[in-house]
Amino acid sequence: MQRNLFSRLWISPFLLFSTLTIANEKVVQQPTIEQANTFINDSILPPIQAWSGASEALLLSPEHPWATPFEQQNYQSTPNYQDTMAWLDNLVDSSDLLHKVSLGKSPQGRDIWMIVASAEGAQTAKQLGQNGKATILVQAGIHSGEIDGKDAGMMLLRDISHGNKRTLLENVNLLFVPILSVDAHERSSEYNRVNQRGPINMGWRTTANNLNLNRDYAKADAIEMQHLIHAINIWQPHLYIDVHVTDGIDYQYDVTFGYNVKQGYSPSSFNWLENIYRPEIEAALTQQGHIPGPLVFALDNTDMAKGISLWNPSPRYSNGYGDARHLPTILIENHSLKPYKQRVLGTYVMLEQTLKTVGQNSTKLKSAINDDKYRNPSQLTLSWQSEQLPEGIDFKGINYHIETSPISGADVVRWTGEPKLYANIPVVANTKADVIVSRPIAYYIPPQWNTVIERLSLHGIRMTRIEKSTQITAQQYHFSQPVFSKADYEGRQTVTANTMSKKVTASLPAGTMRVATDQPLGDLAMLLLEPQAEDSLFYWGFFNTIFTQTEYIEDYAVEPLAEKMLAESPKLQAEFAQALKDPEFAKDSKARLRWFYQRSPYYDTHYLIYPVLRAMK
């Protein structure tokens, strides 16, 4: 590739302070902290905390030839899609380390681009895999108003390509998606996120179809999510970072991050993240003037003494999905009340140290992933309950007082901006196992449920097709008392129901798909196919047609049928007599007739029956 002439003018960002000289010309002074912290909504947000850190040396003057648009615009703004990709195209064209690939088109026709960074200049997944290094996937803009990762990643790629950080790629590869939700990124306004200090122009939270991508990993309805999951399957990263900006309470931390809990589906990955990754990342952030913290949420925003909650996410979220498919996944939640410049720099430091840490510890990371992929536990937890953990936490919060609002009449929190340590406050987490199931050998999905089969295939779950009709004995779920969501959620009508498992003998038609659970994505297959799982395809409505009755029996027919059934079965007589002891049932004529219809050979044997079979040992 042709190198851009700008690369000859490179000066290390570590040499840049308040002024900079390039080609004997003095460059304008960098903006002051006050200039970089001014946003339209400052007056209605809690008091700002003054910040200055060593990571500010990473910034280039706005007039430096390789300054990013973020740096050119006083560290307050972020470029639109067109300007972002124009700048990145220029960088890619100038570097032998970078290549750009499209993950696919958005609903509005924009390419979702990914930058491939490797020492060898790999252009394909096959070429990247041949170098044997660990691969990190960094994704920005899944919520495109929370775009810190895009500007941090652009700076980092610039410094790798034209600065003194080329060695970061000696032992690791980097995949960088600057904007995942590209259509929402272009629905930009300074009024999109009132609770967030910058950038000035922020994208929208949901896609052009109004879907929240970070609720879509399991069901994968959005085309953007389908492109992303396909890329994960093709490029096979070893670490996945999803960059967000949080909401909620005020606190001292500017960069918080979390991942699966030790009770989750990838315990070996958790140990690597907790014992190797977190200490090094937190040390680097601290050294550069940032305050790293755990990913936590207040139990009660008006009373910090009640404690905080950790999060064991389900597979609809990035870090829950990564846990389920044994891809170590880190959710970064930068603090929304910190200025944009501070958040971008904190993200840069975290990403740079991630490259170092993974490069130095990739063998242990790969080993942990391998352990998790082939654990195949005999039992799997499908849902969790909250519990208070044995140990509390010292929380670096912000002081506050409570006032009665003249507007709402309710008590409201007024943050003072003064740091306050909340010592040893309680920690609650949804880590107590609730619903647990035994691991089947395999699931069998009849061919007519093609949408389910296609969705499993999208996730990369291996299946085999049964070529001829086969009879098996297996378990099958029967449902009762279904409860449907009263309102649409993420474009779907969700459902829960009581379940009962029965042993059945069933004939499987040709084309039935067999999903073995002794595969690397076996846990994910279980979490998608077990109806009681929090993000099962059953919950998301993929099987809702089984709740529709299409054949009925008229009262004039069921009356003589019931008489005949009672006359022929003393056992049925006894069961009916027992049922009549329920006064509600006894006075409900329709329920009494339905009772006989349900026990007759005319009843729909597929109604309220889960079509997916579980083969046990």
Side-chain angles (χ1 to χ4, degrees), residues 400-412:
Y400 65 93
H401 58 270
I402 304 296
E403 294 180 0
T404 300
S405 168
I407 305 298
S408 66
D411 288 343
V412 295

Side-chain angles (χ1 to χ4, degrees), residues 348-419:
Y348 181 112
V349 172
M350 184 165 180
L351 297 184
E352 179 182 7
Q353 185 58 47
T354 295
L355 292 174
K356 295 177 182 178
T357 298
V358 172
Q360 294 164 2
N361 298 276
S362 61
T363 300
K364 291 181 179 179
L365 174 60
K366 292 178 180 179
S367 178
I369 294 170
N370 197 63
D371 288 346
D372 291 328
K373 282 184 175 180
Y374 296 100
R375 283 177 66 234
N376 296 330
S378 60
Q379 291 185 317
L380 198 74
T381 301
L382 302 181
S383 62
W384 308 84
Q385 295 179 346
S386 293
E387 60 182 349
Q388 184 169 328
L389 303 185
E391 297 183 4
I393 188 174
D394 291 341
F395 185 73
K396 295 179 180 179
I398 296 294
N399 201 7
Y400 65 93
H401 58 270
I402 304 296
E403 294 180 0
T404 300
S405 168
I407 305 298
S408 66
D411 288 343
V412 295
V413 171
R414 302 298 188 197
W415 305 100
T416 68
E418 301 167 351

Side-chain angles (χ1 to χ4, degrees), residues 291-346:
I291 305 179
L295 181 60
V296 294
F297 308 91
L299 292 174
D300 182 346
N301 286 2
T302 66
D303 187 359
M304 289 303 302
K306 290 183 179 179
I308 57 175
S309 65
L310 299 181
W311 188 31
N312 182 15
S314 65
R316 77 186 64 171
Y317 303 99
S318 60
N319 45 335
Y321 181 72
D323 186 26
R325 69 174 291 149
H326 314 305
L327 167 58
T329 301
I330 297 159
L331 179 66
I332 297 178
E333 287 280 6
N334 293 327
H335 189 214
S336 62
L337 296 178
K338 302 298 186 290
Y340 190 55
K341 182 178 82 168
Q342 181 180 352
R343 302 199 317 262
V344 169
L345 291 175

Side-chain angles (χ1 to χ4, degrees), residues 261-305:
V261 297
K262 63 181 179 181
Q263 295 88 345
Y265 306 113
S266 301
S268 295
S269 296
F270 169 82
N271 288 332
W272 187 91
L273 289 165
E274 186 73 1
N275 299 317
I276 295 177
Y277 182 81
R278 180 174 286 277
E280 294 192 5
I281 298 301
E282 290 188 339
L285 283 165
T286 302
Q287 185 179 25
Q288 291 294 311
H290 297 273
I291 305 179
L295 181 60
V296 294
F297 308 91
L299 292 174
D300 182 346
N301 286 2
T302 66
D303 187 359
M304 289 303 302

Side-chain angles (χ1 to χ4, degrees), residues 8 41 78 91 95 133 158 213 250 315 326 329 351 405 498:
R8 298 179 183 177
N41 53 344
T78 192
L91 183 67
S95 174
K133 303 172 187 177
R158 179 265 318 280
L213 292 178
D250 199 0
H326 314 305
T329 301
L351 297 184
S405 168
N498 293 334

